[in-house]
Amino acid sequence: MKLRRDIFQAISDPTRRAILVLLTSQAMTAGAIAENFDAARPTISKHIQVLNECDLVEANQKGREIFYELKIEKMKEIDNWLEQFRKIWENRFDQLDNLLSNLKK
C-alpha cells in the first residue's frame, strides 16, 4: 500500500524546508543539493523524493543529469492555508496597537 503524502507532511521536516529554500534561486541536481547538508546523499535523495511526490519540486532530465526545481504554484496552496492565520494575527496586532494608543493617552 502506497502512502499518500501531502504538502504539509513534506514541509514538516526542516531539511526539506531547507531544500525548498535552495531551489528558490535555481534548479539543482541531487548531488548539488546534497553538498549543502551534512547528511548522506541517499538521505537527501529520500527528502527530494518526498518533495517530488508532494508536487513541490519537479524533476527535469538534461542530458545524463536530473535537475530539480521548485513548483511555485504548489507553494501557493501553503500560502492560502496560512492566510487564515495571517488575518487572525493582523487583527490581534491591530487590537494591541489600539490598546497601546489608548494607554498612552
Side-chain angles (χ1 to χ4, degrees), residues 85-99:
F85 300 103
R86 198 174 292 122
K87 289 177 182 176
I88 291 168
W89 280 106
E90 285 174 1
N91 184 31
R92 289 181 182 178
F93 285 132
D94 289 343
Q95 290 173 350
L96 180 60
D97 283 342
N98 291 336
L99 175 68

Side-chain angles (χ1 to χ4, degrees), residues 32-74:
I33 293 169
E35 288 174 2
N36 292 278
F37 299 94
D38 289 332
R41 271 189 161 169
T43 303
I44 298 302
S45 291
K46 286 183 181 182
H47 284 301
I48 294 169
Q49 180 183 359
V50 170
L51 293 169
N52 196 13
E53 288 172 3
C54 296
D55 247 5
L56 289 169
V57 298
E58 182 176 40
N60 294 309
Q61 188 153 0
K62 293 178 185 169
R64 295 188 326 168
E65 294 186 304
I66 298 174
F67 286 83
Y68 295 93
E69 60 185 301
L70 184 64
K71 291 180 76 174
I72 297 293
E73 62 278 357
K74 195 67 172 179

